[in-house]
Amino acid sequence: MVRLSRALGMPLTPKAKRYFERRPYGPGEHGRARRRSESDYAVRLKEKQRLRAQYAIREAQLVKTFQEARRMEGQTGDNLVELLEMRLDALVLRAGFGRTMFQARQAVTHRHILVDGKIVDRPSYKVRPGQTVQVKPTSQVKDPFVVAARGSHRDVLPPVPDYLKVDLEKLRFTLERKPKREEVPIQCEVQLVVEHYSR
């Protein structure tokens, strides 16, 4: 993950951030060399890879989400980010229940997460506005969630966005409304991603 972070020019995990601060250049023996100007295709491809890496999803998943975003009303790029951000694993991370996207996803796949009182073990599950998500009561005593409830992940995560109402001590949150692109804490020129898939 550290190597991928340096290749994409952005830290993807707290560990990668520490390495990135020490070596803010690409991996490999030519990492410090002056890079040739990239083609338009390479720029758009890299931006797509950056978006995919931040949500830690497969190419097929991003393509499927893009196609859904294109069918919706409004700006395709904004729709794309909205759909990605309403994934259960992404919201579990934003709420502070995990330190990284991988930890948030593991919480979901290991059946620790309830949506409106029912276990959901699909990270790609689309949370709807008004739904309440919480850590299963029997799981709240497990070490990773005890740590999360103390707010220990706040030092590495961005502030909780306004579209979430979080009760961290009770390991519970509600999606108040759909996210807006400018509120979502990702680094991405989304229009370049749209252009990549629209070529």
Side-chain angles (χ1 to χ4, degrees):
M1 192 51 64
V2 172
R3 188 177 181 84
L4 177 60
S5 295
R6 290 169 61 205
L8 295 177
M10 58 182 296
L12 297 171
T13 63
K15 179 181 177 182
K17 186 174 182 180
R18 293 196 300 273
Y19 279 91
F20 202 78
E21 287 169 353
R22 291 206 306 266
R23 294 185 290 178
Y25 46 82
E29 61 180 303
H30 303 297
R32 294 192 225 203
R34 191 188 318 180
R35 298 194 170 193
R36 295 176 296 177
S37 59
E38 296 178 316
S39 66
D40 288 345
Y41 173 79
V43 169
R44 295 185 182 105
L45 175 64
K46 187 172 184 178
E47 207 61 31
K48 183 267 295 184
Q49 290 171 327
R50 284 162 62 103
L51 179 63
R52 190 163 71 87
Q54 287 175 84
Y55 285 98
I57 57 177
R58 300 187 306 275
E59 176 68 16
Q61 292 175 297
L62 185 54
V63 169
K64 182 179 179 181
T65 306
F66 173 78
Q67 291 170 346
E68 183 180 351
R70 194 160 52 177
R71 291 192 296 268
M72 295 166 59
E73 292 184 7
Q75 296 285 331
T76 301
D78 293 348
N79 294 340
L80 176 61
V81 173
E82 175 189 302
L83 290 171
L84 290 171
E85 190 63 14
M86 290 168 72
R87 287 172 55 98
L88 180 57
D89 56 354
L91 293 177
V92 167
L93 175 67
R94 303 289 180 238
F97 296 179
R99 195 172 180 84
T100 66
M101 188 66 78
F102 301 102
Q103 197 174 40
R105 179 165 303 158
Q106 187 177 58
V108 177
T109 57
H110 288 195
R111 300 171 65 83
H112 296 303
I113 302 297
L114 303 175
V115 179
D116 286 345
K118 296 181 180 179
I119 290 176
V120 176
D121 58 5
R122 286 189 301 113
S124 62
Y125 176 87
K126 183 180 175 183
V127 181
R128 297 186 302 275
Q131 287 190 305
T132 297
V133 178
Q134 69 179 99
V135 176
K136 192 169 59 175
T138 54
S139 299
Q140 292 186 13
V141 297
K142 295 181 182 294
D143 287 345
F145 299 116
V146 171
V147 170
R150 289 201 298 259
S152 300
H153 301 326
R154 283 281 140 237
D155 60 329
V156 297
L157 295 175
V160 175
D162 290 341
Y163 45 86
L164 288 182
K165 182 179 180 182
V166 180
D167 185 341
L168 198 55
E169 287 186 6
K170 295 183 179 178
L171 293 170
R172 180 172 61 203
F173 70 84
T174 301
L175 179 62
E176 300 275 89
R177 55 175 172 77
K178 292 182 177 181
K180 297 177 183 176
R181 166 64 190 99
E182 59 271 16
E183 299 174 299
V184 178
I186 58 168
Q187 300 176 40
C188 182
E189 290 290 336
V190 186
Q191 183 56 34
L192 294 179
V193 180
V194 174
E195 291 172 7
H196 173 79
Y197 283 125
S198 301
R199 69 191 192 282

